[in-house]
Amino acid sequence: MNSSPNENHDNHLMVQFFEWDSVAPSGFTWWRHFAKEVPYLASLGCTQVWLPPPNKAMDKEGRGYDAYDLVMHPCVWDLGEFSHKGRIATRWGTKAELLESIKIAKANGMGVLIDAVLNHKLGADRTETFPAVECDPDNRLRDNAPVRNIKAWTAFDFPARGDKYSSMKWTQEHFTGVDWDELTKKKAIYRIVGQGHKGWSKKVDTELGNYDYLLGIDIDFRHEAVRNDMFAWGSWVLQETGATGFRLDACKHIDYTFLRQFVLNARKQPGYERAFVVAEFWIDSVHAIERYMNTLRAPVSMFDVPLHHNFYRASEQGSKFDLRTILDGSLVQHRPNDAVTFVDNHDTAVGCSLESWVSGITKLIAYALILLRPDGHPCVYHADLYGEGTVSGLPELMKARKLFAYGPLVDYFDDAHCIGFVRKGDDTHPHGCVVLCANDGTTAHEKKITVGAAHEGTSWKDLLGQSGRVSIIAGIGTFTCPASGVAVWVRE
């Protein structure tokens, strides 16, 4: 993993610095707000930030996932530089502000991930008429009607940008499908047919028969001009912004041969040979994710979706959930070096497309597990660190990761409602820590835990505020935890 421009960091830590409805504080753009927060994030141990898509969106307040001419799309060349769609700035700010914020992040030892929304486009400049077939939305391999002409928004001219950065202009020949017919005013999934079109890609997920189509105007990654333009953009955006890698959006829907080459091509650039890339393949099955990784055959980490769903189930079940099973079936358990662990993100929030919000004390337990154990590459969500939804104790856990969570791991997963583990420390962080997590909500817990003879006679305190101290006798301490909560014990 190359998660930071500075390899001197000890524990790496990613932060997702945005939410679906993020609004910058008064007097700031989002990029300027981020730049102001960089020193604080660095003090918590953050070494990497995942920023929202910096490209121009279809709508003024678009998050960038409705890509028009962006930094993460087939034509991702407008980062807030040109007067497209009635404005110059994106929802997040101007290109100059973006570049300055990335410069500040790197000066503070933080790498930056570009959120690459490559799958589709929206907000075309004009319509075209062409033959298409309406498909069954529940089985995209089944046609619902015969071929007929439709009129759709598929032509992208980028009049303000012209040919700067790229001379490619997008038309229906570069897409596989759309979801709107302007002639009949009907919303449906239409597969584009006719000369040069090959149908849906077969090198995608098989959900709904074929999951090539997700939304908007679906890009055909088999088209040579598309591939060349996208590969050029991938190299350009890293060099233009100084970013250090990518987060790849919606990989279930993108031809995996294209994604493989996209990653390899980006890593060919001087200085980017170890660029960090993490892919979103949303499915609650570690075996499906492993199959995808084996098929993709690229130097890419994966978000640990099964672990998130374990956290969600634990949150929903409360004291009925057996904490000893909380890591079962997760990617971090099966392939720890490839897992990017997280608790929630912009899609899992209440009311969002993948709603599965982790709540209550389970959220703090989940963060203790991803931040203080050695495996995986953890990511903290903006909503849990800022604003009304701040998770009490999260900054302390992040600091504990930075200062104490090192060395060999010993688990004490011996109670359904109270689990623990020890980090033994290493040569440069010799003291380590003891972590206990409980979810039964009735009585406080205690565990006898061996920390080793090197700590004989020392006193330990809980970073999360429990009163009292634990004395180490014969290398063993009796550590406590609230009935529902987390305790992180460190040597005084």
Side-chain angles (χ1 to χ4, degrees):
M1 289 183 182
N2 183 26
S3 55
S4 166
N6 183 343
E7 288 303 307
N8 293 325
H9 289 293
D10 295 303
N11 281 330
H12 296 301
L13 177 59
M14 183 194 304
V15 60
Q16 179 187 352
F17 197 82
F18 68 98
E19 304 165 35
W20 190 252
D21 292 318
S22 287
V23 177
S26 178
F28 286 83
T29 64
W30 193 255
W31 298 142
R32 289 173 57 209
H33 168 54
F34 164 60
K36 183 177 75 70
E37 292 298 312
V38 162
Y40 172 64
L41 295 170
S43 74
L44 296 180
C46 294
T47 61
Q48 186 181 63
V49 60
W50 159 20
L51 292 177
N55 44 266
K56 187 65 59 66
M58 176 180 69
D59 295 321
K60 180 179 180 180
E61 296 303 319
R63 284 82 175 165
Y65 294 97
D66 52 339
Y68 168 69
D69 186 23
L70 25 228
V71 119
M72 348 236 109
H73 239 235
C75 213
V76 290
W77 306 92
D78 186 357
L79 307 179
E81 180 181 3
F82 304 101
S83 182
H84 285 136
K85 298 302 173 182
R87 76 280 183 198
I88 294 176
T90 70
R91 176 188 178 97
W92 315 108
T94 65
K95 178 181 178 181
E97 292 170 334
L98 169 66
L99 300 189
E100 179 63 17
S101 71
I102 292 176
K103 181 180 178 181
I104 291 171
K106 293 175 71 175
N108 281 267
M110 295 170 61
V112 176
L113 298 186
I114 294 291
D115 196 336
V117 185
L118 304 173
N119 177 72
H120 54 270
K121 291 179 72 64
L122 288 165
D125 297 306
R126 55 187 171 84
T127 60
E128 298 177 287
T129 301
F130 48 81
V133 175
E134 182 181 332
C135 298
D136 184 340
D138 297 320
N139 182 354
R140 278 67 178 294
L141 299 178
R142 182 182 299 130
D143 296 342
N144 278 352
V147 175
R148 65 176 177 83
N149 279 346
I150 68 169
K151 188 177 185 180
W153 293 88
T154 50
F156 292 78
D157 301 320
F158 314 115
R161 176 170 60 78
D163 291 340
K164 187 174 182 180
Y165 303 132
S166 170
S167 61
M168 182 172 173
K169 305 296 184 282
W170 293 71
T171 67
Q172 58 86 20
E173 72 170 291
H174 303 117
F175 303 108
T176 60
V178 297
D179 63 358
W180 179 256
D181 176 15
E182 192 69 24
L183 290 175
T184 61
K185 306 295 184 184
K186 182 178 180 180
K187 184 175 179 63
I189 296 175
Y190 299 98
R191 185 181 74 254
I192 303 173
V193 299
Q195 185 175 3
H197 287 283
K198 304 174 184 177
W200 306 127
S201 171
K202 295 180 175 62
K203 296 176 180 179
V204 296
D205 192 64
T206 57
E207 187 176 343
L208 301 178
N210 177 287
Y211 222 1
D212 187 356
Y213 188 85
L214 174 62
L215 59 87
I217 315 163
D218 189 70
I219 293 166
D220 187 353
F221 294 101
R222 297 159 297 184
H223 195 292
E224 184 177 3
V226 168
R227 295 170 71 90
N228 290 340
D229 199 65
M230 295 287 258
F231 295 154
W233 173 80
S235 301
W236 171 83
V237 75
L238 293 178
Q239 295 170 350
E240 185 79 2
T241 65
T244 53
F246 293 107
R247 178 258 185 185
L248 301 177
D249 182 65
C251 291
K252 293 175 77 171
H253 312 277
I254 301 176
D255 187 306
Y256 59 77
T257 62
F258 162 79
L259 280 179
R260 178 191 306 140
Q261 194 57 48
F262 179 86
V263 172
L264 295 177
N265 187 75
R267 288 168 62 107
K268 285 180 181 178
Q269 311 310 310
Y272 290 95
E273 294 85 357
R274 298 180 63 244
F276 182 88
V277 181
V278 57
E280 178 209 37
F281 189 89
W282 198 269
I283 190 168
D284 184 14
S285 167
V286 68
H287 300 300
I289 293 175
E290 287 186 299
R291 283 196 300 272
Y292 178 75
M293 295 182 73
N294 293 335
T295 299
L296 183 61
R297 291 185 289 111
V300 170
S301 297
M302 306 292 293
F303 285 109
D304 196 344
V305 178
L307 180 63
H308 160 76
H309 280 283
N310 284 356
F311 294 155
Y312 177 61
R313 283 186 283 270
S315 173
E316 293 292 290
Q317 295 174 25
S319 61
K320 296 180 181 179
F321 186 85
D322 186 341
L323 287 176
R324 295 171 297 184
T325 68
I326 200 162
L327 301 177
D328 290 357
S330 63
L331 186 63
V332 74
Q333 184 184 65
H334 284 242
R335 295 177 66 156
N337 292 332
D338 297 320
V340 172
T341 55
F342 67 102
V343 179
D344 274 308
N345 65 27
H346 63 295
D347 284 328
T348 67
V350 175
C352 292
S353 59
L354 300 171
E355 181 178 334
S356 47
W357 188 249
V358 179
S359 60
I361 194 58
T362 304
K363 178 148 283 186
L364 193 63
I365 292 172
Y367 272 119
L369 291 169
I370 71 170
L371 290 172
L372 302 180
R373 296 174 67 81
D375 295 331
H377 185 70
C379 180
V380 171
Y381 181 39
H382 182 277
D384 294 331
L385 191 58
Y386 290 88
E388 295 180 2
T390 300
V391 177
S392 178
L394 178 55
E396 288 76 14
L397 292 181
M398 295 168 73
K399 290 178 182 177
R401 174 177 178 80
K402 179 180 181 180
L403 298 173
F404 304 109
Y406 297 91
L409 171 78
V410 178
D411 280 329
Y412 288 77
F413 280 36
D414 51 6
D415 186 313
H417 300 299
C418 182
I419 57 174
F421 56 92
V422 186
R423 298 299 301 277
K424 296 285 191 174
D426 59 21
D427 291 342
T428 54
H429 310 85
H431 293 165
C433 58
V434 172
V435 182
L436 298 182
C437 304
N439 73 342
D440 70 0
T442 55
T443 58
H445 296 266
E446 63 177 38
K447 287 184 185 291
K448 289 186 180 297
I449 292 179
T450 299
V451 295
H455 299 290
E456 184 67 25
T458 60
S459 178
W460 292 53
K461 65 178 181 179
D462 177 18
L463 293 177
L464 298 184
Q466 281 190 102
S467 60
R469 297 293 186 267
V470 172
S471 297
I472 305 303
I473 301 173
I476 298 173
T478 301
F479 295 91
T480 61
C481 181
S484 289
V486 175
V488 181
W489 294 89
V490 298
R491 177 172 159 172
E492 288 192 294

